[in-house]
Amino acid sequence: MWWSVTVLSFLLNGVCEAGITSSFIRVAAPSIEIPKEDFPPPHGYNAPEQVHITQGDYTGNGVIVSWVTPVEKYPNFVTYWKADEKNGIKRNRVRSKITTYRYYNYSSGYIHHATINRLQYNTKYAYELGHGNGTRQFWFMTPPEIGPDVPYTFGLIGDLMKIDTYIGDLGQTHASKQTLDHYLATKKGQTVLFLGDFSYADVHPFHDNEKWDTYGRFVEKSNAYEPWIYTAGNHELDLAPEIGEYVLFKPYKHRYRVPFRASGSTSPLWYSIKRASAHIIVLSSYSAFEQELTKVNRSETPWLIVMMHSPMYNSNNYHFMEGETMRVVFEPWFVKYKVDLVLSGHVHSYERSERVSNIQYNITSGLSTPVKDPSAPVYITVGDGGNIEGIADSFTEHQPDYSAFREASFGHALLEIKNQTHAFYSWHRNQDNVAVSGDSIWFYNRHFYPKEESSSKG
Ligand SMILES: *[C@@H]1O[C@H](CO)[C@@H](O)[C@H](O)[C@H]1NC(C)=O
Ligand SMILES: *[C@@H]1O[C@H](CO)[C@@H](O)[C@H](O)[C@H]1NC(C)=O
Ligand SMILES: *[C@@H]1O[C@H](CO)[C@@H](O)[C@H](O)[C@H]1NC(C)=O
Ligand SMILES: *[C@@H]1O[C@H](CO)[C@@H](O)[C@H](O)[C@H]1NC(C)=O
Ligand SMILES: *[C@@H]1O[C@H](CO)[C@@H](O)[C@H](O)[C@H]1NC(C)=O
Ligand SMILES: [Fe+2]
């Protein structure tokens, strides 16, 4: 086994409302990066690769299909049809927009983005890319029609690709493979909320952009079949003046497209979508997007979820307090609009907060400690897709009262929305059987049922 696990008792920490610092520790064996050769391109001439899909509009009737052709631009279209139609299958075709980029001495393949619109809800579609012996087929399910009681399950994954010496998020390591395989084995997730830090190309010499290609091949087995909702992380910045690269987010913006205009955003770094019973706002750690909060209709989408790469409540020593400037700006809005959950990556461990806020402070009040607040979101950090370092002892020494559960393991989480009041949340460490959860809790909707929750452990 690549890592081994020590199971100790849970440590209860601090006074009355103590949170849990799980002492479930994996031995700090360095994670070995998966070699590029382990992610070969698909067979066939000019075969489309790195296929990935995301929601293509505001309401879930659209899908953006993206792929790379290595040799030739053409064919530059996606063919799609209703998968279950028995007779007279009607095939439709959408042309892609093609882009390429150079990064230092790397030249990308032809990167295609095709937006399919006017799809029916709750329908399985098949799609086909490529030509001749390079033809490939995939499928996806559209979400159910938006509504307050529509059950829907999101997978929460962050920071998949890390390398051993780097303290980062989701790099191409065996741990990331484990995270993705484990997530797929649960067969429950319908859409992934991805919390940023994609390929970790930037930690390699010259930001080796072939790592973006191998990353795209790696996640294809999930990302070609279910949408991933993308949040950009700091590893997508790719600013490298020393090699003449000054354009922020260059590889990311060429390779990943999001429906930002549909929500009135002016930048792909922040946008919003409605899906089933959730309204999801992707915030850039670098930009504001308040007006979207005023547009949320809780009668239509009761579940208000915010995604942002850097956590605001994090008691890990890594990146400790990094979210402070964001917190000062956004936290009063999160409380005012009763956000249910704020999801982050970035820190390579797992943590779940209590419902707390820290918005009373001013120059005279001296109220600088977070307090319990039923209108506040729960903050979840799942920056544990697959980093390398043993981080078991890297939490702050005394678990703050705001921290409900924290553990230095890799894993993913599932958010199973049941109806407008209840959602079951569980976090799954990689080394456990898929049926086991390391942390779980019933979340109650802040708008319709703002009761206090209690986790199953502790
Ligand atoms: C880019 O430059 C680096 C350093 O000179 C070299 O190792 C690498 O092989 C080059 N890559 C390409 C695609 O030319
Ligand atoms: C695939 O098609 C290409 C060009 O159409 C051809 O050159 C190649 O030999 C084919 N490969 C196989 C394995 O059939
Ligand atoms: C909110 O959504 C409900 C249910 O779809 C709808 O009846 C209502 O008119 C919407 N409210 C606003 C202000 O759009
Ligand atoms: C500071 O906060 C206290 C307590 O919430 C409040 O009474 C006071 O008016 C505030 N002062 C300023 C300058 O906002
Ligand atoms: C919502 O789901 C929860 C959990 O499944 C259930 O206990 C509750 O009765 C449901 N509420 C309604 C109104 O159906
Ligand atoms: Fe990060």
Side-chain angles (χ1 to χ4, degrees):
M1 215 165 116
W2 169 69
W3 63 36
S4 60
V5 174
T6 325
V7 187
L8 302 172
S9 59
F10 289 112
L11 282 180
L12 286 176
N13 196 342
V15 275
C16 44
E17 311 269 2
I20 295 167
T21 296
S22 170
S23 52
F24 204 104
I25 296 168
R26 66 191 169 75
V27 169
S31 191
I32 299 151
E33 196 176 14
I34 308 178
K36 284 177 185 169
E37 300 71 55
D38 282 18
F39 303 109
H43 296 295
Y45 176 73
N46 200 36
E49 57 170 277
Q50 306 169 50
V51 180
H52 54 273
I53 63 171
T54 193
Q55 182 160 322
D57 66 352
Y58 194 44
T59 54
N61 301 101
V63 169
I64 300 172
V65 181
S66 304
W67 69 97
V68 174
T69 50
V71 191
E72 290 181 29
K73 279 184 175 179
Y74 304 108
N76 64 330
F77 53 81
V78 51
T79 306
Y80 66 97
W81 61 94
K82 278 190 199 168
D84 299 329
E85 211 140 74
K86 294 283 172 281
N87 307 313
I89 292 175
K90 185 171 177 297
R91 290 176 181 247
N92 300 283
R93 198 179 258 200
V94 171
R95 206 179 291 280
S96 65
K97 294 201 170 105
I98 301 173
T99 180
T100 60
Y101 74 95
R102 288 184 60 82
Y103 194 95
Y104 184 53
N105 62 356
Y106 169 90
S107 299
S108 75
Y110 298 101
I111 303 169
H112 300 250
H113 302 286
T115 303
I116 306 176
N117 282 312
R118 290 180 291 279
L119 295 168
Q120 284 174 15
Y121 282 125
N122 215 12
T123 303
K124 185 174 180 176
Y125 288 90
Y127 66 102
E128 186 176 286
L129 304 168
H131 173 75
N133 59 21
T135 303
R136 301 183 70 202
Q137 278 192 12
F138 307 87
W139 56 265
F140 59 79
M141 273 300 291
T142 51
E145 186 170 359
I146 291 168
D149 280 307
V150 179
Y152 203 72
T153 298
F154 293 98
L156 279 43
I157 301 180
D159 304 59
L160 260 177
M161 309 299 254
K162 306 195 191 203
I163 63 164
D164 45 356
T165 54
Y166 188 76
I167 299 151
D169 308 36
L170 193 105
Q172 292 158 49
T173 66
H174 291 91
S176 31
K177 188 166 182 309
Q178 234 173 351
T179 300
L180 195 57
D181 289 348
H182 202 225
Y183 167 67
L184 289 170
T186 65
K187 293 189 163 62
K188 276 187 173 173
Q190 295 167 283
T191 290
V192 169
L193 304 180
F194 184 68
L195 298 159
D197 286 353
F198 290 61
S199 72
Y200 281 75
D202 63 337
V203 304
H204 295 84
F206 312 104
H207 292 221
D208 183 1
N209 268 233
E210 286 180 18
K211 288 288 179 185
W212 277 102
D213 294 316
T214 51
Y215 172 84
R217 293 173 197 154
F218 163 58
V219 296
E220 188 188 80
K221 62 183 166 184
S222 168
N223 207 168
Y225 300 90
E226 66 182 284
W228 285 36
I229 308 304
Y230 310 118
T231 319
N234 51 303
H235 287 281
E236 280 68 73
L237 283 163
D238 281 312
L239 176 68
E242 68 280 8
I243 51 173
E245 292 297 341
Y246 297 94
V247 181
L248 292 177
F249 298 103
K250 189 203 239 182
Y252 173 70
K253 283 184 177 173
H254 278 91
R255 290 169 182 272
Y256 291 86
R257 289 289 150 90
V258 297
F260 66 96
R261 287 192 189 86
S263 58
S265 167
T266 52
S267 161
L269 300 177
W270 62 94
Y271 63 101
S272 150
I273 57 163
K274 299 194 271 189
R275 197 165 181 89
S277 43
H279 193 123
I280 296 162
I281 298 178
V282 177
L283 276 179
S284 161
S285 297
Y286 316 92
S287 338
F289 191 36
E290 189 211 356
Q291 69 270 28
E292 186 64 22
L293 286 164
T294 66
K295 289 200 287 184
V296 178
N297 180 345
R298 298 298 271 268
S299 302
E300 186 187 41
T301 50
W303 294 92
L304 177 51
I305 299 168
V306 170
M307 298 165 66
M308 57 196 279
H309 183 60
S310 288
M312 288 172 21
Y313 282 92
N314 159 43
S315 69
N316 198 294
N317 284 318
Y318 294 119
H319 306 297
F320 187 59
M321 299 288 275
E322 263 186 34
E324 266 310 276
T325 48
M326 291 285 283
R327 189 187 64 72
V328 169
V329 176
F330 289 111
E331 189 177 25
W333 297 337
F334 292 169
V335 173
K336 179 178 174 192
Y337 295 100
K338 297 188 167 65
V339 170
D340 290 293
L341 297 171
V342 176
L343 310 175
S344 299
H346 195 47
V347 176
H348 56 272
S349 61
Y350 169 70
E351 187 159 13
R352 170 171 61 80
S353 81
E354 304 285 358
R355 292 198 185 275
V356 290
S357 69
N358 186 4
I359 54 177
Q360 314 303 320
Y361 181 75
N362 64 29
I363 201 81
T364 56
S365 70
L367 302 171
S368 60
T369 308
V371 292
K372 283 220 163 183
D373 186 341
S375 297
V378 167
Y379 297 87
I380 292 171
T381 305
V382 279
D384 54 354
N387 94 321
I388 309 317
E389 295 231 317
I391 53 169
D393 56 358
S394 68
F395 286 115
T396 53
E397 190 58 29
H398 293 289
Q399 184 167 12
D401 285 348
Y402 66 70
S403 173
F405 187 99
R406 55 186 192 170
E407 181 174 319
S409 291
F410 297 136
H412 72 274
L414 289 175
L415 179 68
E416 302 174 42
I417 296 175
K418 303 295 184 188
N419 53 36
Q420 65 176 337
T421 54
H422 286 63
F424 185 69
Y425 167 83
S426 57
W427 173 73
H428 303 263
R429 41 175 100 78
N430 285 352
Q431 59 267 38
D432 288 340
N433 184 287
V434 292
V436 176
S437 66
D439 177 35
S440 63
I441 185 169
W442 278 97
F443 284 133
Y444 303 144
N445 188 272
R446 287 304 97 187
H447 182 83
F448 288 105
Y449 193 65
K451 295 267 186 320
E452 188 167 349
E453 296 119 332
S454 63
S455 55
S456 61
K457 298 216 167 71

